[in-house]
Amino acid sequence: MSIEKFRKRLSANDVGTTGGHQGGVLIPKGESELLAMLPFLDPDVKNPDAWIECVDDTGHRLKFRFVYYNNRLHDPGGTRNEYRITHMTSWFRDVGAREGDEFEISRAGVGNQYAIGIRPKDAEEVDTDQGIRIRLTGWRRVH
């Protein structure tokens, strides 16, 4: 049985270098396999959340907030309808994450426990027969 592992190429906003307010790393609603790996968040509740326990490559334990901002479903004039993992910016700074690096997450045990890491930006670039460099963006499952 293989471990489900997902990666996301980090944007400047993800790592906090834009100077703007960081709302957390976005998980699109279409990423059903990734969302199934994370705790269930009830859409009938306004802005449900769960704390996920993570261990990084150095063994450092962290807690991040997985949240479904869904005021569009609950408030007249609400605009948000998105999943995010928040409380990550200081960890990104601590590990020296940069725009273009990849955040990796996989289940690490029972409950809400996950393994996380940062992969340098050149780690997943591949040369094709034509000599073109391929850069995958957004979330993707790693096999």
Side-chain angles (χ1 to χ4, degrees), residues 18-103:
T18 62
H21 172 69
Q22 173 54 276
V25 174
L26 177 70
I27 302 176
K29 290 188 295 299
E31 293 293 339
S32 57
E33 289 183 65
L34 174 56
L35 290 170
M37 184 183 78
L38 294 165
F40 173 74
L41 299 178
D42 187 351
D44 292 332
V45 174
K46 182 178 176 182
N47 299 333
D49 68 344
W51 289 93
I52 59 175
E53 298 176 17
C54 300
V55 178
D56 70 11
D57 295 334
T58 66
H60 188 210
R61 295 189 174 280
L62 307 118
K63 284 191 175 184
F64 297 142
R65 181 178 178 233
F66 175 51
V67 60
Y68 178 27
Y69 291 113
N70 62 6
N71 71 356
R72 185 175 184 183
L73 306 177
H74 295 275
D75 297 335
T79 59
R80 295 185 80 182
N81 187 18
E82 61 196 27
Y83 292 91
R84 291 192 177 265
I85 300 176
T86 65
H87 294 261
M88 301 178 80
T89 306
S90 63
W91 178 72
F92 284 151
R93 271 192 228 111
D94 291 346
V95 297
R98 299 176 317 215
E99 177 182 3
D101 289 347
E102 291 189 320
F103 169 67

